[in-house]
Amino acid sequence: MRCTVCALFGVSILAAQPAPGTNPEVIQVRPNFYMIAGAGGNIGFQVGADGVVVVDAGSASGADAVVAAIRKITGQPIRYVIDTSADPDHVGGNATVAKAGQTLFTQTGGAGLAADFQGGGASILSVEQVLTRMSGPSGKPSPFPPGAWPTETFHQSRKYMYLNGEGIEVFHQPAAHSDGDAIVFFRRSDVVVAGDILDTTRFPVIDIAKGGSIQGEIAALQKLIDTAIPSVPIVSRDEGTLIIPGHGRLCDQLDVVEYRDMVTIIRDRVRDLIKQGLTLEQIQAASPARGYTRRYGSGAGSKATNEFIEAVYRSMSEKSR
Ligand SMILES: [Zn+2]
C-alpha cells in the first residue's frame, strides 16, 4: 500500500520541459511546493509572492532543465538556493539556477554585497563547511567555479528566514552524511527537505573523510522524525508532514522511522561484532546488513553494502580508540 505514495498523498505529477539528456519529473506536493526528481539529487521548491526558494540545485548537467521546470510552474524570480551538502549532485546546478534568479538584496550592504558581487543572481545559502569544500584549499584549483559558491553561510545549529508567508528553518547536522549537512523545514507547507541523510534507494552514504559518522547519521534521522508529524490520531486521512529525501520517493514520518530503525539495527550488529574482536573484513563477511541488502544494497553487487558497513565500523572503532 505504501508504494502508492503519490496516490496516498493526493499529489499530482506534472510533465516538465524536456531538455537534452535530462527529463526531470516535477511532483506537486503542496499547493505551493514542488519536488523535482531526475536531475541529480531531489530538489524541493517553494513558490510565493516573494519569489521561489529552491532547496538543492541538482547536478550541473541537469541545471538548465531544472530552471525550465521551475519557469513552467511560475514566472516569479528564484530568490534563494539552499544547499543540503556539498555533493556535486546537489550543488552542481548552483551557478545556473542562481544566475537564473534575482537576489532579494540591493546595494544596502550585509549579505547583499556578496550576492550583488555574484551578479545579482539568487542568494546561495549553506552551512560554512559547504563553502569550504566548494572553494577548496587555498593554493589549489577550486572544485567548483566561484559562481556556484554559497553567498551566505552560517555556523550556528539553526538558521531561519520568513519568506512567502512561512517560516523556513535550516538545521545544521554536524556529522551525518558529512560535516556539512543541512535539513530544511518549511513550517507552513509542512515539508522537510532532508538531503542525503535520507536516501530511500540505498543505505545512507556516510563520508568519513568529510566528517560523516554513524552516530551523527542516526541523530540526523532522529531530528527528521522529531520535526515531522504523522496523521494521528485519524490515520485514515492523507495528511501529515512530507519529507523529500536526497534520492528516492517522497516519505512521511513512518518511512523515516523504518529507515532509522534499519540503520540502528545494523549499527548495533556491527558494534557487537567489534566487541567480539572481529576485523572489518570478518564483520563484512558476517553480513550485519542481512535482511536489508535486497532493498538498500543497490542491486546484485555488494559494494554499497560493504561501503556502508565500513563507514559504520570506522565511525565506531575510531571513536573507541
Ligand atoms: Zn545525493
Side-chain angles (χ1 to χ4, degrees):
M1 193 175 152
R2 304 198 63 78
C3 60
T4 58
V5 70
C6 289
L8 195 71
F9 290 116
V11 299
S12 51
I13 296 175
L14 312 169
Q17 188 96 36
T22 315
N23 190 14
E25 180 183 41
V26 180
I27 299 160
Q28 184 172 20
V29 298
R30 297 292 192 215
N32 69 329
F33 208 100
Y34 301 81
M35 165 177 162
I36 301 178
N42 286 333
I43 294 165
F45 69 96
Q46 173 221 39
V47 180
D50 296 329
V52 183
V53 176
V54 184
V55 183
D56 281 342
S59 61
S61 62
D64 287 332
V66 166
V67 171
I70 294 170
R71 288 267 175 277
K72 214 171 173 198
I73 302 290
T74 177
Q76 290 280 13
I78 297 164
R79 298 301 197 179
Y80 263 96
V81 176
I82 305 174
D83 292 331
T84 63
S85 77
D87 284 9
D89 55 332
H90 298 257
V91 300
N94 270 8
T96 302
V97 174
K99 211 173 156 203
Q102 195 184 347
T103 178
L104 277 170
F105 302 103
T106 54
Q107 292 97 335
T108 50
L113 282 177
D116 275 352
F117 184 71
Q118 301 284 16
S123 303
I124 304 174
L125 174 74
S126 76
V127 300
E128 236 168 43
Q129 287 84 347
V130 171
L131 175 59
T132 309
R133 285 260 142 67
M134 291 183 71
S135 53
S138 58
K140 288 189 178 172
S142 297
F144 293 91
W149 298 357
T151 57
E152 235 182 290
T153 62
F154 66 100
H155 60 271
Q156 64 271 41
S157 60
R158 172 180 178 247
K159 164 90 180 173
Y160 47 77
M161 307 194 281
Y162 207 97
L163 284 172
N164 294 321
E166 68 175 318
I168 304 169
E169 292 177 288
V170 188
F171 298 107
H172 181 204
Q173 302 302 297
H177 155 71
S178 69
D179 59 9
D181 299 309
I183 65 176
V184 188
F185 179 35
F186 293 80
R187 291 170 56 139
R188 193 156 184 257
S189 298
D190 205 11
V191 175
V192 188
V193 186
D196 279 352
I197 287 162
L198 182 65
D199 182 341
T200 67
T201 68
R202 55 165 298 161
F203 293 118
V205 175
I206 296 173
D207 195 334
I208 303 271
K210 291 181 180 163
S213 74
I214 184 64
Q215 295 86 351
E217 168 69 21
I218 292 172
L221 290 169
Q222 189 59 48
K223 175 71 179 176
L224 288 174
I225 292 165
D226 292 345
T227 306
I229 296 177
S231 183
V232 289
I234 305 175
V235 294
S236 57
R237 289 181 182 160
D238 296 338
E239 289 174 354
T241 310
L242 295 174
I243 300 139
I244 297 177
H247 302 263
R249 64 178 177 82
L250 193 60
C251 294
D252 62 10
Q253 194 215 40
L254 185 59
D255 297 315
V256 186
V257 168
E258 286 172 0
Y259 196 81
R260 178 211 56 193
D261 288 351
M262 174 273 289
V263 170
T264 306
I265 286 166
I266 296 171
R267 189 271 315 264
D268 290 350
R269 286 173 179 169
V270 172
R271 186 170 55 194
D272 289 347
L273 294 166
I274 290 172
K275 276 186 194 155
Q276 291 171 33
L278 270 62
T279 64
L280 172 61
E281 290 70 28
Q282 289 168 331
I283 290 171
Q284 283 166 333
S287 304
R290 64 189 172 276
Y292 300 107
T293 50
R294 198 171 54 184
R295 188 159 167 197
Y296 298 113
S298 305
S302 55
K303 191 168 173 281
T305 306
N306 280 337
E307 281 171 1
F308 175 56
I309 299 306
E310 181 175 352
V312 175
Y313 173 86
R314 288 183 58 195
S315 305
M316 311 236 305
S317 50
E318 275 162 28
K319 207 182 177 193
S320 62
R321 255 179 223 152

